[in-house]
Amino acid sequence: MENNTANKQRRSILQGCLAMGLASYLNTSLSQSNWPQKPMRFIVPFVPGGTSDIVARTVSQELSKQLPFPVILENKAGGGGVPAMLEVSKAPADGYTMILGHVGSMAVNPYIFTNTGYDVNKDFAPVTLLAKVPSLFVVHPDLPVENLKELVAYAKNNPGKLNYGSAGNASAGHLAMEYLKLTTGMEITHIPYKGTGPALTDLLAGRIQVFSAGTPALLQYIRSGKLRAIATGTPQRISSLPNLPTVAESGYKGFESVQWYGILVPANTPESVIKRIQEESYKALRTPAVAERFASEDAVIGGGSPAEFAALIAQQQRVWKNVVLKANIRAD
């Protein structure tokens, strides 16, 4: 009798557990299938005004139109993007917190910061590449150089005289310039700023002489004559500046430096949610507003699968690890 009672109790407990588990599964599945159910945060680890902000803002505006809830852009600058990445790595893995990943945060920081509190390859899930943007190399027009060869000669003949600015240590512009220095053998002192905007202010005022950034942040100043473009880091010339030679054409074959930007979410975010964000991003990238804006900046539109974005990150980590070691790039 006691055995029968005990068996009934065990069956009752088991049935209750199964029911709870099924309910939890159904609730989770329903939540995922109905994503989103509230606004999403899109973290940009740099100040407003730079290429990263332009790319993220352009896409987020279209996503907000497509989805039932808005995508809210948040600029969280500082620390080479580490504080922003750390925050997102610890956010709930539910698709409501995304971050803009780029060459610095994903392919350089792992080799210059010893303890960030996160692992870019374990604590984040790639969603999709948004864009590849040409790296342009520009100088203040008062500098007596017209092209890259003349800049290299001037720097070598005037040691310690030239300074270049960047959006911060390990930013895309910092990396591009250090790569160019390694390739050409010239020496130019690095002055890190807290964002592209402040660096551009000093460049336009002539307080620094050399700079590298993506086309969205620089094109208007080049066209107005306030800055002089001397080379592009792309393998081929770009349509917006067809007379601007590439670094490779300037005598440094094999050189290539482009900026890239994509969406990442905390690891363990449900695959169904990641797929939805990728699909919505693909649609946003092909709207007339985004396509026209990116085309005007020579940005190559992304939108591919998470696996394709992950493969790009891995390839870029191999490239920039070598640059970091040779240029002895260190954290602030």
Side-chain angles (χ1 to χ4, degrees):
M1 193 71 178
E2 291 180 359
N3 287 339
N4 288 337
T5 301
N7 288 336
K8 288 180 179 179
Q9 289 176 338
R10 282 194 291 269
R11 281 196 298 271
S12 178
I13 292 171
L14 180 59
Q15 288 170 350
C17 290
L18 288 172
M20 290 175 62
L22 179 60
S24 175
Y25 172 79
L26 290 174
N27 287 336
T28 299
S29 298
L30 180 62
S31 175
Q32 292 175 18
S33 65
N34 289 341
W35 182 95
Q37 298 178 346
K38 62 181 180 179
M40 293 134 280
R41 301 168 64 213
F42 191 7
I43 310 299
V44 179
F46 291 100
V47 296
T51 305
S52 57
D53 181 71
I54 293 170
V55 169
R57 196 169 298 277
T58 302
V59 174
S60 65
Q61 288 172 350
E62 293 304 314
L63 287 174
S64 294
K65 296 175 186 176
Q66 294 171 194
L67 295 168
F69 294 91
V71 176
I72 301 170
L73 204 70
E74 296 183 24
N75 294 91
K76 292 183 175 291
V82 171
M85 293 286 286
L86 180 61
E87 178 184 338
V88 174
S89 73
K90 298 182 181 302
D94 54 12
Y96 293 104
T97 304
M98 306 178 289
I99 190 164
L100 186 77
H102 86 310
V103 59
S105 60
M106 297 303 298
V108 176
N109 284 358
Y111 309 111
I112 67 172
F113 291 100
T114 56
N115 185 20
T116 59
Y118 60 84
D119 185 318
V120 296
N121 296 318
K122 294 180 180 179
D123 295 328
F124 296 89
V127 176
T128 190
L129 175 72
L130 294 179
K132 288 184 178 181
V133 178
S135 291
L136 299 182
F137 298 94
V138 299
V139 298
H140 188 275
D142 287 348
L143 196 66
V145 302
E146 297 291 334
N147 53 54
L148 179 57
K149 286 184 178 180
E150 290 183 4
L151 174 64
V152 173
Y154 186 91
K156 290 181 177 180
N157 291 331
N158 297 272
K161 189 173 181 178
L162 295 181
N163 298 316
Y164 82 88
S166 77
N169 212 35
S171 65
H174 179 204
L175 301 172
M177 280 300 305
E178 289 300 319
Y179 189 13
L180 186 68
K181 285 169 58 179
L182 285 172
T183 302
T184 62
M186 64 178 172
E187 281 300 324
I188 305 178
T189 302
H190 176 221
I191 300 178
Y193 289 78
K194 293 183 178 180
T196 298
L200 268 175
T201 297
D202 273 7
L203 177 67
L204 292 167
R207 287 186 282 270
I208 56 176
Q209 297 78 40
V210 188
F211 192 65
S212 177
T215 45
L218 296 177
L219 207 51
Q220 60 175 312
Y221 301 110
I222 295 169
R223 286 173 170 165
S224 67
K226 293 180 179 179
L227 294 176
R228 179 181 299 133
I230 58 171
T232 173
T234 50
Q236 295 85 31
R237 295 191 183 197
I238 57 177
S239 59
S240 62
L241 298 168
N243 295 324
L244 182 67
T246 67
V247 173
E249 284 180 301
S250 302
Y252 304 99
K253 292 183 178 180
F255 183 96
E256 180 180 355
S257 176
V258 297
Q259 302 183 23
W260 48 267
Y261 304 89
I263 296 175
L264 299 111
V265 292
N268 300 318
T269 297
E271 289 186 11
S272 60
V273 174
I274 291 175
K275 185 173 185 292
R276 179 77 186 280
I277 299 173
Q278 183 270 324
E279 290 172 345
E280 294 294 337
S281 299
Y282 182 93
K283 286 163 54 180
L285 288 167
R286 280 149 184 83
T287 59
V290 175
E292 290 172 12
R293 178 63 190 271
F294 281 18
S296 70
E297 315 277 4
D298 293 293
V300 177
I301 291 177
S305 69
E308 289 170 331
F309 187 28
L312 172 67
I313 292 170
Q315 182 268 336
Q316 288 286 283
Q317 286 176 345
R318 292 190 294 270
V319 170
W320 292 106
K321 178 181 180 180
N322 186 49
V323 174
V324 167
L325 294 176
K326 287 187 176 180
N328 196 30
I329 297 174
R330 298 184 182 277
D332 291 328

